[in-house]
């Protein structure tokens, strides 16, 4: 399972930008193994927004940049610290990875109902925008990042409910069939979308949700990819209607036989 997971992570990184660095280093970057760069991790950079402090984990290559920036939205009740294998794998291949803690991190705000669930999602989308808005502040807190973040190549990524968050940050538009309201977000700065579970298996979501963003998209999933907020685990009374998507952009779908929601333990855990 771990070998297959490395393939998923390698392919996801490639999908975001086919040539993140010079061609001479391309072979080891996408060979399904660890990339050539040493990785530096900063466990927490605090960003104040309103009455909240958003803690951000920063993972970056110990090399001259600039490198594309991936912002990863974690799963329900998870946190910035539970994706170390993913973040370090991407970073070793030549990416700066930012992992914010959302309001439900570590069993914070609970999705007690459908309305609360949607509010949590939109707050999370605002967190992804916050990361881009505050790149200067993050760089000031981590001076070694100076010159290493390519602000013209930005990737929204997500796992579990974080996939829906990343989709809203890349142009997803949905209609609530109960009240007819259209839900979307104004964020338009992300150039690519990476999802490491299937958003269409989440509660409230249509099966074909993953094609709802008109940016280059990668989806890695498995036949047993069902999480805490998945269909069947969370009773719902309606399904959202997808309005966006269908544009002529590259989309890649990788389905692993018996692949589960945590990809065999590669995510949702602190690396030992």
């Amino acid at each position: 399972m771990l070998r297959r997971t490395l393939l998923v992570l390698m392919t996801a990184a490639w999908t975001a930008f086919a040539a993140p660095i010079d061609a001479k280093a391309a072979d080891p970057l996408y060979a399904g193994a660890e990339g050539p760069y040493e990785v530096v991790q900063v466990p927490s950079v605090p960003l104040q927004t309103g009455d909240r402090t958003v803690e951000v984990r920063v993972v970056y290559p110990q090399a001259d940049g600039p490198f594309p920036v991936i912002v990863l939205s974690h799963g329900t009740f998870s946190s910035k610290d539970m994706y170390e294998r993913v973040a370090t794998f991407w970073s070793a291949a030549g990416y700066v990875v930012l992992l914010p803690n959302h309001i439900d991190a570590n069993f914070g705000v609970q999705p007690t109902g459908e309305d609360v669930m949607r509010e949590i999602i939109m707050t999370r989308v605002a967190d992804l925008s916050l990361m881009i808005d505050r790149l200067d502040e993050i760089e000031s807190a981590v001076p070694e990042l100076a010159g290493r973040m390519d602000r013209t190549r930005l990737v929204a990524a997500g796992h579990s409910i974080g996939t829906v968050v990343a989709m809203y940050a890349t142009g997803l538009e949905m209609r609530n069939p109960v009240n007819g309201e259209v839900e979307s977000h104004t964020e338009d700065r992300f150039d690519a979308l990476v999802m490491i579970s299937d958003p269409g298996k989440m509660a409230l979501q249509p099966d074909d949700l993953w094609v709802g963003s008109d940016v280059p998209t990668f989806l890695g999933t498995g036949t047993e990819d069902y999480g805490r907020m998945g269909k069947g685990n969370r009773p719902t009374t309606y399904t959202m209607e997808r309005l966006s998507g269908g544009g002529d952009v590259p989309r890649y779908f990788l389905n692993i036989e018996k692949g589960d929601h945590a990809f065999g333990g590669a995510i949702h855990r602190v690396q030992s």
Side-chain angles (χ1 to χ4, degrees), residues 36-206:
Y37 298 114
E38 294 293 324
V39 173
V40 179
Q41 300 192 63
V42 180
S44 184
V45 173
L47 298 178
Q48 192 66 34
T49 176
D51 59 356
R52 290 178 59 212
T53 299
V54 178
E55 300 287 341
V56 185
R57 188 179 191 92
V58 180
V59 185
Y60 63 93
Q62 183 65 60
D64 293 336
F67 300 106
V69 178
I70 300 175
V71 182
L72 174 61
S73 179
H74 62 70
T76 302
F77 304 144
S78 190
S79 77
K80 62 181 176 59
D81 301 319
M82 302 298 283
Y83 295 82
E84 188 172 354
R85 285 178 183 246
V86 177
T88 56
F89 187 87
W90 283 341
S91 188
Y95 297 83
V96 175
V97 186
L98 306 178
L99 303 96
N101 262 0
H102 298 302
I103 59 173
D104 59 305
N106 299 312
F107 294 87
V109 175
Q110 306 283 313
T112 53
E114 293 164 353
D115 289 343
V116 177
M117 188 188 306
R118 295 201 311 275
E119 289 175 8
I120 290 172
I121 289 173
M122 286 305 176
T123 302
R124 283 164 153 261
V125 181
D127 289 345
L128 267 62
S129 294
L130 181 72
M131 299 302 101
I132 307 306
D133 293 340
R134 302 286 189 86
L135 288 179
D136 285 342
E137 189 173 334
I138 293 171
E139 188 175 287
S140 294
V142 186
E144 260 200 338
L145 277 177
R148 289 188 172 148
M149 292 190 288
D150 186 342
R151 303 178 188 215
T152 68
R153 295 190 289 173
L154 305 173
V155 183
H159 170 247
S160 194
I161 197 65
T163 59
V164 181
V165 173
M167 291 198 70
Y168 273 117
T170 52
L172 176 65
E173 189 174 277
M174 304 274 276
R175 179 185 289 123
N176 185 325
V178 175
N179 56 26
E181 291 184 1
V182 174
E183 299 181 359
S184 61
H185 199 274
T186 57
E187 179 56 69
D188 63 359
R189 292 171 290 181
F190 289 100
D191 307 296
L193 169 65
V194 169
M195 296 176 285
I196 46 178
S197 60
D198 187 348
K201 293 181 179 179
M202 303 300 299
L204 301 179
Q205 310 305 333

Side-chain angles (χ1 to χ4, degrees), residues 199-215:
K201 293 181 179 179
M202 303 300 299
L204 301 179
Q205 310 305 333
D207 293 341
D208 65 348
L209 181 61
W210 81 281
V211 300
S213 295
D214 286 329
V215 297

